[in-house]
Amino acid sequence: MIDRLEKEVDMLERHLQVLRMVIENEPIGIVKMSNETGYPHHKVRYSLRVLEEENLIEPSSQGAITTEETDEFVADLDEKVDHTIEKLEGMKIDDAAEVEN
């Protein structure tokens, strides 16, 4: 059950790393991102597709570039991650068992 969550977190980490590279180096292409991150081309391509579907990046003739929605997403990201961490912390069973004892 937790394995799926770990895989999703790993994939989210990759998507965000690709987004960070676009923000810092736009326009940037798949080959350069793959070389710099060590991710295979197909994984970078998939992350770019996901980011494009979320309207966070768009393709250009020189490579991926950010959109008008990117800044707002980045501004809200830390708060959303912190909220998710709090939720996950509340799910720990060890904490509940210690309180009962």
Side-chain angles (χ1 to χ4, degrees):
M1 183 167 48
I2 199 80
D3 293 342
R4 284 187 294 182
L5 176 60
E6 289 175 337
K7 287 179 184 176
E8 286 293 323
V9 169
D10 288 344
M11 191 171 11
L12 177 60
E13 181 181 29
R14 185 181 75 232
H15 295 338
L16 292 175
Q17 186 174 4
V18 168
L19 178 60
R20 185 179 294 116
M21 288 192 74
V22 173
I23 291 168
E24 293 173 355
N25 303 291
E26 66 180 310
I28 185 170
I30 292 172
V31 173
K32 184 173 182 179
M33 280 190 262
S34 178
N35 290 340
E36 290 189 18
T37 62
Y39 294 128
H41 292 171
H42 71 278
K43 289 193 174 193
V44 171
R45 191 175 295 113
Y46 178 73
S47 291
L48 289 170
R49 187 176 321 122
V50 168
L51 294 168
E52 185 177 355
E53 287 172 4
E54 294 293 323
N55 296 317
L56 297 174
I57 65 162
E58 58 188 28
S60 77
S61 58
Q62 294 86 21
I65 57 173
T66 57
T67 67
E68 293 177 3
E69 296 180 34
T70 307
D71 286 341
E72 183 179 341
F73 174 82
V74 170
D76 294 341
L77 181 63
D78 286 349
E79 184 178 324
K80 289 180 180 180
V81 169
D82 289 342
H83 177 72
T84 303
I85 290 170
E86 287 175 19
K87 278 179 124 174
L88 290 169
E89 288 287 338
M91 294 175 162
K92 288 182 177 179
I93 293 177
D94 285 344
D95 291 344
E98 289 175 15
V99 170
E100 291 176 11
N101 292 331

